[in-house]
Amino acid sequence: MDTIVSRQRWLQLGLGLVAMMAISSPQYVWTLFTKPLMATTGATLAAIQVTFTIVIVLQTFFSPVQGYLIDRFSPKVMIALGAALSGLGWVLAARIDSLWGLYATYGLFCGLGTGIVYVGIVGLMVKWFPDRRGFAVGVVAAGYGMGALLTTFPITNMMAASGYRETLNTFGIVLGIVGVLAALGLRAPRPGEALPAPARNLSTCTHDTAPKEMLRTPLFWLMFVMMTMMSTGGLMVVAQFAYFARDFGVADAIVFGFAALPFALTFDRITNGLTRPFFGWVSDRIGREKTMAIAFAAEAVAIALMLVFRENAYAFALLSGVVFFAWGEIFSLFPSLLTDTFGTKHATTNYGFLYMAQGVGSLLGGPVAAMIYAAQGSWIPVFGIAIGLDLLTAALAWFVLRPMRREWLGLGGAPVAVGKPALA
């Protein structure tokens, strides 16, 4: 690959990272706005939190449509539109006084906007980096997971000084403009610009499987079930983290000079971001399925240890970071694996269908965990289910997914599904 092409794809990676960071705040700093929005609308916390659910549902369940539009039209235009919608959601939310107005602004615009940007950028990165898919997707996914670290304190300070309306308006404009400007430099690789050069341990194909064809394969549905289980198990812990920290009596304990809960939440956000490029990089070298088996099993062990040492504030805070480190890699491993298997031409739309698994997991992980706790009066069954899902998914990755993919790629006999791919 010549120097100009090499520079171009790293530029695309940098622009994708910036755009992802620009649309991370609507999800990750939402909690800062709940209290003032309750006061303005007169709604309960449960009613206000429906806004967050709308964001996640629109971001994930509409992703196949968003992916199709990006594949059908210009990625640059669609991603810029998504960034603008995300910023507009905040600007409009700053001007409403009703609960339904909040749903129709923050929920609707931020949900659709962030979904377009997220799916679009992941789809571009798997095309630009056939030889480093795991790493490249991990980098931009880390931007989404960690981008709010740059805005959390400025938003908190501005809210204290100027109120939440001015904060939403100002940051909506700034983040929207940053996202649009980054998107305007993005484009899909032209023929010959992204030469396939897969790592030694990767199994990839050159056959491009269309979404309709992909959805007829057992292999896709195995990936979907696995990502759903990992999302559900991880979010069972993630969504209830503050509640069981308080129940275990460690939330307000001092660790390293800080209260254990905010320290753990900050540490977890960092590890949840770092894991995405790290395990993506590892998977580029040793293979996706092997990396999945290692990471998913590691999360099960970390959750088990966190449960055992739940009354030790230091162990609890540090092990929570390990849990997040072993969970966040699903956002780099699964899109890379999907593109390795079904090709690049329809990568954005195809990932849109797989990304719906995260939406299913978000709906199951939080509410189901809360219901189990309410019924049992203990968090131990919740932890047990999360551990079980992690171990089951790790086993599926090695003992079921790996041989099925080898057969699909023609490495272990005749393919089991339609559209036998050629080997890269």
Side-chain angles (χ1 to χ4, degrees), residues 111-408:
L112 291 176
T114 57
I116 292 171
V117 176
Y118 191 97
V119 172
I121 290 177
V122 169
L124 283 179
M125 292 308 111
V126 296
K127 295 176 181 178
W128 274 105
F129 289 86
D131 54 332
R132 294 185 175 92
R133 276 191 188 124
F135 173 75
V137 173
V139 168
V140 293
Y144 187 74
M146 297 177 65
L149 283 174
L150 299 179
T151 60
T152 300
F153 287 108
I155 286 174
T156 301
N157 294 335
M158 188 171 184
M159 285 179 66
S162 305
Y164 84 92
R165 291 185 189 272
E166 182 65 25
T167 304
L168 281 173
N169 188 69
T170 300
F171 277 87
I173 293 172
V174 171
L175 294 175
I177 291 174
V178 169
V180 169
L181 290 177
L184 292 178
L186 292 169
R187 65 174 177 84
R190 302 184 182 100
E193 282 190 316
L195 302 176
R200 180 180 58 184
N201 292 293
L202 295 182
S203 298
T204 62
C205 72
T206 57
H207 173 80
D208 292 308
T209 306
K212 185 177 180 180
E213 184 183 358
M214 180 190 72
L215 292 173
R216 290 160 48 198
T217 66
L219 186 53
F220 168 78
W221 291 107
L222 174 61
M223 294 182 196
F224 189 92
V225 169
M226 289 174 61
M227 188 168 180
T228 298
M229 289 195 298
M230 284 303 300
S231 296
T232 301
L235 289 170
M236 278 185 163
V237 177
V238 172
Q240 315 297 331
F241 189 79
Y243 294 96
F244 59 68
R246 294 188 179 97
D247 284 354
F248 294 160
V250 297
D252 298 320
I254 303 300
V255 296
F256 306 111
F258 302 93
L261 180 57
F263 171 84
L265 290 173
T266 302
F267 182 50
D268 296 345
R269 185 170 294 177
I270 294 172
T271 59
N272 189 35
L274 293 177
T275 184
R276 303 176 189 203
F278 173 76
F279 275 112
W281 173 80
V282 170
S283 74
D284 288 337
R285 281 150 180 79
I286 70 171
R288 313 289 184 215
E289 298 95 340
K290 185 182 292 186
T291 306
M292 285 180 168
I294 293 170
F296 300 165
E299 184 185 353
V301 173
I303 293 176
L305 289 174
M306 190 166 67
L307 182 61
V308 170
F309 296 103
R310 59 186 178 274
E311 296 180 356
N312 183 311
Y314 281 92
F316 182 86
L318 294 175
L319 285 169
S320 71
V322 179
V323 171
F324 278 75
F325 187 77
W327 177 70
E329 85 292 325
I330 63 174
F331 301 108
S332 59
L333 295 183
F334 279 103
S336 303
L337 179 77
L338 187 79
T339 307
D340 288 345
T341 307
F342 297 111
T344 60
K345 182 177 180 181
H346 308 283
T348 309
T349 306
N350 286 346
Y351 181 58
F353 281 101
L354 183 61
Y355 192 51
M356 290 176 69
Q358 169 70 2
V360 176
S362 68
L363 294 177
L364 293 176
V368 169
M371 288 189 291
I372 293 172
Y373 173 72
Q376 300 295 321
S378 170
W379 289 109
I380 294 178
V382 175
F383 276 67
I385 292 173
I387 292 168
L389 290 174
D390 288 341
L391 292 175
L392 176 58
T393 313
L396 286 173
W398 187 254
F399 294 108
V400 182
L401 178 63
R402 184 170 179 268
M404 283 183 68
R405 275 225 317 140
R406 289 179 62 83
E407 195 167 12
W408 167 258

Side-chain angles (χ1 to χ4, degrees), residues 30 33-34 36-43 48 51 88-109 164-166 168-169:
W30 158 251
F33 295 108
T34 54
L37 287 170
M38 288 172 62
T40 297
T41 61
I48 290 291
T51 309
L88 182 61
W90 275 25
V91 172
L92 295 177
R95 290 160 171 77
I96 59 90
D97 297 299
S98 68
L99 184 63
W100 285 101
L102 183 63
Y103 295 163
T105 55
Y106 199 118
L108 176 64
F109 287 95
Y164 84 92
R165 291 185 189 272
E166 182 65 25
L168 281 173
N169 188 69

